[in-house]
Amino acid sequence: GNCSVHRSELLETGGYNATFLHNGEFVVVWESYGSFGDDSDSSSIQGQVYASDGQLLGDQFQVNTYTTHNQMNPHVAPGPDGSFVVVWQSMGSDGTDTDNTSIQLRRYSSGGTPLGDDLQVNTFTGANQEVPAVGVAPDGAFVVVWYSFNSDGADNFGSIQGQRFNSTGTEAASRFSASMRVTSSTVPSWATMQRVVEWCEPFTRTGDGYRYR
Protein backbone atom coordinates (compact mmCIF):
# COMPACT_ATOMS: atom_id res chain seq x y z
CA GLY A 1 0.00 0.00 0.00
CA ASN A 2 0.87 3.66 -0.02
CA CYS A 3 2.95 5.26 2.74
CA SER A 4 3.42 8.92 3.63
CA VAL A 5 7.00 10.14 3.37
CA HIS A 6 7.09 13.52 5.11
CA ARG A 7 5.21 13.90 8.37
CA SER A 8 4.05 17.50 8.44
CA GLU A 9 1.75 19.42 6.14
CA LEU A 10 3.84 22.49 7.01
CA LEU A 11 6.74 21.14 5.00
CA GLU A 12 6.69 21.86 1.27
CA THR A 13 8.74 19.24 -0.53
CA GLY A 14 10.77 19.60 -3.72
CA GLY A 15 13.08 17.11 -5.46
CA TYR A 16 13.36 13.61 -4.02
CA ASN A 17 15.11 10.28 -4.56
CA ALA A 18 14.72 6.78 -3.12
CA THR A 19 16.52 3.45 -3.15
CA PHE A 20 16.08 -0.05 -1.80
CA LEU A 21 18.78 -1.08 0.67
CA HIS A 22 20.59 -4.41 0.70
CA ASN A 23 18.97 -5.47 3.99
CA GLY A 24 15.44 -5.25 2.48
CA GLU A 25 14.63 -1.79 3.84
CA PHE A 26 14.38 1.36 1.72
CA VAL A 27 15.23 5.03 2.22
CA VAL A 28 13.73 8.20 0.78
CA VAL A 29 15.53 11.57 0.71
CA TRP A 30 13.98 14.85 -0.38
CA GLU A 31 14.34 18.62 -0.52
CA SER A 32 12.16 20.30 2.10
CA TYR A 33 11.23 23.93 2.70
CA GLY A 34 11.28 23.48 6.45
CA SER A 35 12.89 20.93 8.75
CA PHE A 36 12.38 18.75 11.80
CA GLY A 37 16.04 19.51 12.53
CA ASP A 38 17.89 22.79 12.95
CA ASP A 39 17.73 24.06 9.34
CA SER A 40 15.25 26.93 9.34
CA ASP A 41 17.05 28.89 6.61
CA SER A 42 15.67 28.05 3.15
CA SER A 43 15.50 24.41 2.03
CA SER A 44 17.01 21.36 3.73
CA ILE A 45 17.57 17.71 2.83
CA GLN A 46 15.38 15.29 4.81
CA GLY A 47 15.41 11.50 4.97
CA GLN A 48 13.36 8.57 6.25
CA VAL A 49 14.14 4.86 6.43
CA TYR A 50 11.34 2.31 5.97
CA ALA A 51 10.94 -1.40 6.58
CA SER A 52 10.22 -3.61 3.59
CA ASP A 53 6.48 -3.42 4.37
CA GLY A 54 6.50 0.41 4.37
CA GLN A 55 6.51 0.88 8.15
CA LEU A 56 8.59 3.73 9.52
CA LEU A 57 11.96 2.81 10.98
CA GLY A 58 13.04 5.55 13.35
CA ASP A 59 12.31 9.23 12.95
CA GLN A 60 12.56 11.50 9.96
CA PHE A 61 16.05 13.03 9.94
CA GLN A 62 17.80 16.08 8.52
CA VAL A 63 20.72 15.08 6.29
CA ASN A 64 22.59 18.39 5.98
CA THR A 65 24.56 19.86 8.89
CA TYR A 66 25.41 23.05 6.97
CA THR A 67 22.19 25.04 7.34
CA THR A 68 22.82 28.34 5.52
CA HIS A 69 20.99 28.87 2.22
CA ASN A 70 19.41 26.18 0.02
CA GLN A 71 20.16 22.47 -0.02
CA MET A 72 18.73 20.69 -3.08
CA ASN A 73 18.91 17.88 -5.67
CA PRO A 74 19.49 14.90 -3.32
CA HIS A 75 20.54 11.49 -4.60
CA VAL A 76 21.00 8.32 -2.51
CA ALA A 77 22.69 4.98 -3.20
CA PRO A 78 22.72 1.75 -1.14
CA GLY A 79 25.88 0.37 0.42
CA PRO A 80 26.59 -2.97 2.10
CA ASP A 81 24.47 -4.22 5.03
CA GLY A 82 21.79 -1.53 4.85
CA SER A 83 24.18 1.45 4.78
CA PHE A 84 23.74 4.27 2.28
CA VAL A 85 25.34 7.47 0.96
CA VAL A 86 23.46 10.72 0.27
CA VAL A 87 24.80 13.45 -2.01
CA TRP A 88 23.25 16.83 -2.77
CA GLN A 89 23.84 20.33 -4.08
CA SER A 90 24.41 23.05 -1.49
CA MET A 91 24.38 26.82 -1.83
CA GLY A 92 27.61 27.34 0.08
CA SER A 93 29.57 24.97 2.29
CA ASP A 94 31.28 24.45 5.64
CA GLY A 95 34.28 23.56 3.48
CA THR A 96 36.20 25.70 1.01
CA ASP A 97 33.37 26.40 -1.45
CA THR A 98 31.57 29.39 0.07
CA ASP A 99 30.86 31.45 -3.06
CA ASN A 100 28.93 29.07 -5.32
CA THR A 101 26.91 25.88 -5.22
CA SER A 102 28.95 22.93 -3.93
CA ILE A 103 28.53 19.16 -3.83
CA GLN A 104 28.09 17.61 -0.38
CA LEU A 105 27.85 14.03 0.85
CA ARG A 106 26.96 12.25 4.08
CA ARG A 107 27.29 8.58 4.92
CA TYR A 108 24.87 6.52 7.00
CA SER A 109 24.93 3.10 8.61
CA SER A 110 21.88 0.85 8.62
CA GLY A 111 18.81 2.36 10.27
CA GLY A 112 19.81 5.90 9.29
CA THR A 113 22.59 6.53 11.83
CA PRO A 114 24.94 9.22 10.42
CA LEU A 115 28.63 8.47 10.03
CA GLY A 116 30.08 11.93 10.50
CA ASP A 117 28.92 15.33 9.24
CA ASP A 118 28.65 16.79 5.73
CA LEU A 119 31.69 16.44 3.52
CA GLN A 120 32.36 18.76 0.57
CA VAL A 121 33.12 16.65 -2.52
CA ASN A 122 34.32 19.25 -5.04
CA THR A 123 37.75 20.85 -4.77
CA PHE A 124 37.32 23.27 -7.68
CA THR A 125 35.34 26.22 -6.27
CA GLY A 126 35.40 28.75 -9.11
CA ALA A 127 31.92 28.00 -10.49
CA ASN A 128 28.65 26.25 -9.68
CA GLN A 129 28.65 22.48 -9.07
CA GLU A 130 25.26 20.79 -9.62
CA VAL A 131 23.14 17.59 -10.03
CA PRO A 132 25.29 15.03 -8.17
CA ALA A 133 24.82 11.27 -8.35
CA VAL A 134 26.49 8.49 -6.36
CA GLY A 135 27.17 4.77 -6.79
CA VAL A 136 28.45 2.39 -4.10
CA ALA A 137 30.56 -0.75 -4.65
CA PRO A 138 29.97 -4.00 -2.70
CA ASP A 139 32.92 -3.24 -0.40
CA GLY A 140 31.44 0.18 0.53
CA ALA A 141 33.74 2.29 -1.63
CA PHE A 142 31.85 4.79 -3.77
CA VAL A 143 32.08 7.31 -6.60
CA VAL A 144 30.34 10.71 -6.85
CA VAL A 145 29.83 12.48 -10.19
CA TRP A 146 28.43 15.95 -10.83
CA TYR A 147 28.16 18.72 -13.42
CA SER A 148 30.66 21.57 -13.11
CA PHE A 149 30.12 24.87 -14.92
CA ASN A 150 33.88 25.30 -15.17
CA SER A 151 37.06 23.42 -14.32
CA ASP A 152 40.62 23.95 -13.13
CA GLY A 153 41.70 21.61 -15.94
CA ALA A 154 41.55 22.01 -19.70
CA ASP A 155 37.76 22.31 -19.79
CA ASN A 156 36.76 25.90 -18.98
CA PHE A 157 33.17 25.64 -20.26
CA GLY A 158 31.33 22.78 -18.59
CA SER A 159 32.23 19.23 -17.67
CA ILE A 160 31.19 16.18 -15.65
CA GLN A 161 33.54 15.65 -12.73
CA GLY A 162 34.00 12.65 -10.46
CA GLN A 163 35.58 11.75 -7.16
CA ARG A 164 36.24 8.30 -5.73
CA PHE A 165 36.11 7.48 -2.00
CA ASN A 166 36.99 4.43 0.02
CA SER A 167 34.51 2.79 2.39
CA THR A 168 35.44 5.12 5.26
CA GLY A 169 34.58 8.23 3.23
CA THR A 170 38.13 9.40 2.55
CA GLU A 171 39.26 10.28 -0.97
CA ALA A 172 40.68 7.26 -2.76
CA ALA A 173 42.26 9.17 -5.65
CA SER A 174 42.37 12.58 -7.27
CA ARG A 175 39.24 14.09 -8.80
CA PHE A 176 38.77 13.04 -12.41
CA SER A 177 36.87 14.29 -15.42
CA ALA A 178 34.26 11.81 -16.68
CA SER A 179 33.83 13.75 -19.94
CA MET A 180 36.29 15.37 -22.29
CA ARG A 181 33.96 18.34 -22.69
CA VAL A 182 30.31 19.26 -22.31
CA THR A 183 29.41 21.27 -25.41
CA SER A 184 26.08 22.60 -24.12
CA SER A 185 25.31 24.88 -21.19
CA THR A 186 22.25 22.73 -20.37
CA VAL A 187 22.63 21.04 -16.96
CA PRO A 188 22.34 17.25 -17.32
CA SER A 189 19.36 15.44 -15.82
CA TRP A 190 19.56 13.07 -12.84
CA ALA A 191 18.96 10.17 -15.24
CA THR A 192 21.97 11.27 -17.29
CA MET A 193 24.14 11.55 -14.18
CA GLN A 194 23.05 8.09 -13.03
CA ARG A 195 24.19 6.71 -16.38
CA VAL A 196 27.54 8.45 -15.82
CA VAL A 197 27.85 6.65 -12.46
CA GLU A 198 27.30 3.35 -14.26
CA TRP A 199 29.70 4.44 -17.01
CA CYS A 200 32.39 5.03 -14.39
CA GLU A 201 31.89 1.38 -13.39
CA PRO A 202 32.15 1.64 -9.58
CA PHE A 203 31.46 -2.09 -9.29
CA THR A 204 34.46 -3.13 -11.42
CA ARG A 205 37.87 -3.32 -9.77
CA THR A 206 41.12 -3.17 -11.70
CA GLY A 207 44.68 -3.24 -10.50
CA ASP A 208 44.65 0.55 -10.30
CA GLY A 209 41.34 0.80 -8.45
CA TYR A 210 38.08 1.67 -10.13
CA ARG A 211 38.00 1.79 -13.89
CA TYR A 212 36.54 4.78 -15.67
CA ARG A 213 36.64 6.02 -19.24
Side-chain angles (χ1 to χ4, degrees):
N2 297 330
C3 62
S4 176
V5 174
H6 61 96
R7 299 188 187 179
S8 172
E9 294 180 358
L10 297 177
L11 302 185
E12 179 185 353
T13 57
Y16 63 91
N17 190 239
T19 188
F20 283 101
L21 304 176
H22 293 306
N23 60 359
E25 300 167 357
F26 64 96
V27 61
V28 183
V29 293
W30 67 95
E31 177 185 342
S32 174
Y33 293 91
S35 175
F36 281 100
D38 63 353
D39 192 347
S40 59
D41 184 3
S42 304
S43 59
S44 65
I45 304 300
Q46 301 288 310
Q48 177 68 61
V49 178
Y50 294 85
S52 58
D53 61 0
Q55 297 298 310
L56 296 172
L57 291 179
D59 294 327
Q60 178 178 317
F61 55 91
Q62 179 180 299
V63 176
N64 58 290
T65 56
Y66 176 74
T67 60
T68 304
H69 306 305
N70 287 321
Q71 317 296 314
M72 56 203 128
N73 293 341
H75 188 265
V76 60
D81 304 321
S83 64
F84 55 95
V85 179
V86 184
V87 295
W88 69 97
Q89 173 184 328
S90 173
M91 192 69 178
S93 173
D94 273 332
T96 59
D97 196 346
T98 58
D99 294 330
N100 301 285
T101 52
S102 66
I103 303 302
Q104 304 287 319
L105 73 83
R106 198 172 190 188
R107 299 163 49 245
Y108 288 84
S109 64
S110 60
T113 301
L115 299 172
D117 292 335
D118 301 358
L119 174 65
Q120 180 182 304
V121 178
N122 60 292
T123 54
F124 174 71
T125 62
N128 286 334
Q129 318 294 315
E130 298 188 359
V131 287
V134 59
V136 185
D139 65 355
F142 57 97
V143 60
V144 182
V145 296
W146 68 95
Y147 178 77
S148 175
F149 278 88
N150 208 323
S151 170
D152 53 6
D155 190 347
N156 58 6
F157 181 75
S159 63
I160 295 176
Q161 300 290 312
Q163 178 66 59
R164 292 175 288 156
F165 295 85
N166 63 27
S167 60
T168 62
T170 57
E171 294 180 359
S174 299
R175 175 173 49 86
F176 62 88
S177 176
S179 62
M180 294 301 294
R181 182 176 176 86
V182 177
T183 57
S184 170
S185 60
T186 303
V187 178
S189 67
W190 278 337
T192 298
M193 298 307 290
Q194 183 60 47
R195 287 195 294 271
V196 173
V197 168
E198 296 165 357
W199 184 57
C200 292
E201 298 179 12
F203 299 102
T204 302
R205 285 289 193 132
T206 70
D208 297 324
Y210 293 116
R211 177 159 50 95
Y212 57 90
R213 303 168 185 168

